[in-house]
C-alpha cells in the first residue's frame, strides 16, 4: 500500500474513523412515515444525483436501503475503480435514504469542512488507497473495516475553508472549459447528422428505393448457455454484443466463444467487412466488422445478396442516417426494440455502384475531418481533467 506523504507543520494525518473528528456511519435508518427517495450507486453520476433508484416506504424497502444521511455527511462508493462522492445537504437529509453500497462519513465536533472531505474523496491518492484495500469476488469493493485503515490530511479548519474556496473558484473555471469542449463535440455530431440527412435526402429524390429484404440477407444471433464453461473457456470466436458497439469498427470483443458454443446456440457468424446493427439493447447502433464475428440476440448481421449491387459502406452510412428513425420506432416496456419485419421493410435509395462509391468517398472525407476535430476536443477535455487531478493533489499536500 502507498505510504503517507509529508504534510505542512500544522497539519496531521487522522484515520477515516477517528472517533474525535470523523467516523464511519453504521448501517440503520430512523423510522419514517410516508415515502422517501432511495439512492443506489447507480443513482450517482459525476458526483451528482442523476436518478432515484426507487421510491420506498420504511416497511417496503430493499435491504440495501439502510444508510441514514445527515446534514454534512459525505458518502463515497465502495466499489473498486469507481469514484462516486455525495455530500449531504438539507434536501438529501430530509428526503433520501442511501444504499449500503456507499461508506458514509459523519463529521464530529465540527472538526472537518464537509466539502473539504468531498474534494479529498475525489483525489487520485484516496482512490488508489481505496482500490488497494478492496476485496471480494467479481465486483471488488472496500468494507468498513478496511476503510478504517485510510487516513485523511487534517489541516486547521480555517485552512480547510481556504482550500475549499480556492478549489471552488478554480474548478468552476475548468468545468466551464470542459463543458465548452463537450458542446463542440456535440455540435460536430449534429453537423455530421445534417450532412448525412442532406445526402440521403437528395439520393431519395433521384433514385429508386428498394426494400432491404430484396437486396440484403439479415442474420440473427444468440447467446450460448453461460452455465456451460465448455462454450466459453478458451474461446477463439469473437462474440459481439452491444457493449462492443461504442466504436465505428469492431476490432475486438469483450467475450469470445468456442466452436461448440457456436454450434449449440442460436449465435451466427457475420463475415468480416459485414455490418451489424442493434435491434434491441442499444437500439439503432451500427458498426463494421474487422473479422468474422459471432453476434448475440440483440444484434442483426447484414450482408448484401449481390456484392456488386450494394457497397457495404454505403449501407453503413444509410443506417447512420436513420438511427433516430429506428430509435423512434422502438417498442417494449423495459427494453425498446424493433422487429425483424421492420428492418426488412426499410427502404434504401439504390443508385449505381459508381454513385454509391462517390457518396462513400465524400462522406468519409467529411467524417474523417469531423473525427479529427472531436479527437482534439476530447484531448483538451482530458488535459483539463488531468489538471483538476493535479490541483487536487497539490491542495491536499498543503501546496495550493
Amino acid at each position: 500500500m502507498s505510504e503517507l506523504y509529508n504534510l505542512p507543520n500544522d497539519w496531521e494525518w487522522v484515520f477515516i474513523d477517528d472517533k474525535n473528528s470523523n467516523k464511519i456511519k453504521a448501517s440503520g435508518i430512523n423510522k419514517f412515515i410516508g415515502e422517501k427517495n432511495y439512492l443506489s450507486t447507480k443513482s450517482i453520476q459525476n458526483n451528482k444525483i442523476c436518478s432515484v433508484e426507487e421510491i420506498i416506504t420504511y416497511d417496503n424497502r430493499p435491504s440495501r436501503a439502510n444508510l441514514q444521511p445527515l446534514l454534512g455527511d459525505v458518502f463515497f462508493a465502495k466499489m473498486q475503480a469507481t469514484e462516486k462522492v455525495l455530500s449531504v445537504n438539507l434536501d438529501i437529509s430530509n428526503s433520501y435514504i442511501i444504499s449500503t453500497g456507499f461508506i458514509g462519513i459523519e463529521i464530529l465536533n465540527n472538526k472537518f469542512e464537509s466539502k473539504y472531505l468531498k474534494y479529498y474523496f475525489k483525489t487520485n491518492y484516496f482512490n488508489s488507497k481505496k482500490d488497494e484495500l478492496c476485496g471480494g469476488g467479481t465486483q471488488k469493493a472496500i468494507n468498513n473495516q478496511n476503510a478504517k485503515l485510510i487516513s485523511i490530511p487534517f489541516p486547521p479548519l480555517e485552512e480547510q475553508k481556504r482550500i475549499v474556496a480556492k478549489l471552488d473558484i478554480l474548478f468552476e473555471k475548468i468545468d466551464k472549459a470542459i463543458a465548452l469542449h463537450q458542446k463542440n463535440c456535440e455540435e460536430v455530431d449534429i453537423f455530421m447528422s445534417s450532412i448525412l440527412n442532406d445526402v440521403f435526402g437528395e439520393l431519395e429524390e433521384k433514385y429508386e428505393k428498394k426494400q432491404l429484404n430484396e437486396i440484403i440477407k439479415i442474420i440473427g444471433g444468440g447467446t450460448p448457455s453461460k452455465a456451460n464453461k465448455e462454450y466459453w473457456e478458451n474461446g477463439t470466436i469473437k462474440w459481439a454484443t452491444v457493449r462492443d458497439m461504442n466504436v465505428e469498427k469492431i476490432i475486438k470483443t469483450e467475450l469470445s466463444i468456442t466452436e461448440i458454443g457456436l454450434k449449440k446456440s442460436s449465435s451466427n457468424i457475420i463475415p468480416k467487412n459485414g455490418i451489424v446493427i442493434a435491434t434491441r439493447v442499444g437500439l439503432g447502433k451500427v458498426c463494421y466488422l474487422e473479422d468474422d464475428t459471432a453476434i448475440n440476440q440483440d444484434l442483426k448481421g447484414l450482408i448484401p445478396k449481390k456484392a456488386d449491387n450494394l457497397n457495404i459502406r454505403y449501407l453503413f452510412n444509410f443506417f447512420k442516417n436513420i438511427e433516430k428513425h429506428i430509435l423512434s420506432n422502438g417498442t417494449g416496456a423495459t427494453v425498446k426494440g424493433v422487429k425483424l419485419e421492420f428492418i426488412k421493410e426499410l427502404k434504401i435509395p439504390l443508385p449505381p455502384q459508381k454513385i454509391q462509391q462517390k457518396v462513400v468517398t465524400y462522406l468519409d472525407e467529411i467524417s474523417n475531418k469531423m473525427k479529427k476535430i472531436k479527437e482534439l476536443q476530447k484531448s483538451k477535455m482530458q488535459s483539463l481533467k488531468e489538471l483538476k487531478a493535479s490541483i487536487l493533489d497539490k491542495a491536499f499536500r498543503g501546496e495550493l
Side-chain angles (χ1 to χ4, degrees), residues 30-92:
N30 302 328
K31 191 161 188 176
F32 63 89
I33 299 170
E35 296 177 333
K36 288 204 174 193
N37 302 310
Y38 165 49
L39 296 179
S40 69
T41 52
K42 285 191 297 183
S43 306
I44 309 300
Q45 297 293 337
N46 298 320
N47 300 316
K48 294 178 181 175
I49 298 173
C50 66
S51 63
V52 171
E53 180 70 26
E54 63 178 280
I55 306 297
I56 58 172
T57 63
Y58 182 81
D59 293 322
N60 184 18
R61 59 192 167 93
S63 59
R64 288 171 71 84
N66 203 31
L67 279 175
Q68 182 73 52
L70 297 175
L71 182 62
D73 291 349
V74 185
F75 290 79
F76 62 86
K78 290 179 175 178
M79 295 176 293
Q80 191 177 51
T82 303
E83 185 208 305
K84 295 191 178 190
V85 185
L86 180 70
S87 58
V88 177
N89 58 26
L90 192 59
D91 178 48
I92 295 173

Side-chain angles (χ1 to χ4, degrees), residues 184-323:
N184 289 341
C185 285
E186 291 165 4
E187 286 179 350
V188 166
D189 290 337
I190 291 169
F191 176 75
M192 193 65 218
S193 294
S194 72
I195 293 290
L196 281 167
N197 196 45
D198 288 347
V199 167
F200 280 94
E202 194 174 322
L203 290 167
E204 284 183 10
E205 291 176 3
K206 288 184 178 177
Y207 298 100
E208 180 188 9
K209 289 192 284 185
K210 292 276 189 184
Q211 279 199 175
L212 283 183
N213 65 329
E214 295 179 47
I215 56 175
I216 63 170
K217 288 187 287 186
I218 304 174
I219 300 173
T223 302
S225 170
K226 294 282 181 69
N228 194 329
K229 292 182 180 178
E230 194 182 6
Y231 297 167
W232 299 91
E233 284 188 353
N234 302 316
T236 57
I237 300 170
K238 292 178 182 177
W239 181 75
T241 72
V242 73
R243 292 162 69 99
D244 302 304
M245 296 185 73
N246 293 321
V247 292
E248 189 168 289
K249 180 187 283 187
I250 297 176
I251 297 172
K252 60 182 180 180
T253 56
E254 192 174 285
L255 299 171
S256 296
I257 59 175
T258 61
E259 288 284 352
I260 190 167
L262 179 66
K263 288 177 184 172
K264 297 290 185 180
S265 71
S266 301
S267 186
N268 287 295
I269 287 182
I270 310 304
K272 66 178 181 179
N273 298 324
I275 68 171
V276 290
I277 60 171
T279 54
R280 212 173 76 90
V281 177
L283 183 61
K285 287 186 174 182
V286 56
C287 291
Y288 288 113
L289 294 177
E290 170 87 358
D291 296 308
D292 292 353
T293 304
I295 57 174
N296 82 343
Q297 61 278 7
D298 293 329
L299 311 185
K300 294 283 186 290
L302 306 179
I303 304 169
K305 289 181 177 176
K306 294 180 180 177
D308 59 352
N309 191 38
L310 180 63
N311 183 310
I312 196 75
R313 290 172 65 78
Y314 178 83
L315 181 63
F316 171 83
N317 282 305
F318 168 74
F319 271 97
K320 290 293 284 186
N321 184 48
I322 63 168
E323 183 176 347

Side-chain angles (χ1 to χ4, degrees), residues 23-24 61 74 76 106 135 138 148 153 200 204 261 274 286 317 327 342 349 361 374 397-398:
K23 70 173 184 180
I24 293 177
R61 59 192 167 93
V74 185
F76 62 86
E106 183 177 342
T138 308
K148 290 178 180 178
F200 280 94
E204 284 183 10
V286 56
N317 282 305
L327 268 172
F342 172 82
T361 302
K374 280 185 77 172
R397 290 175 182 271

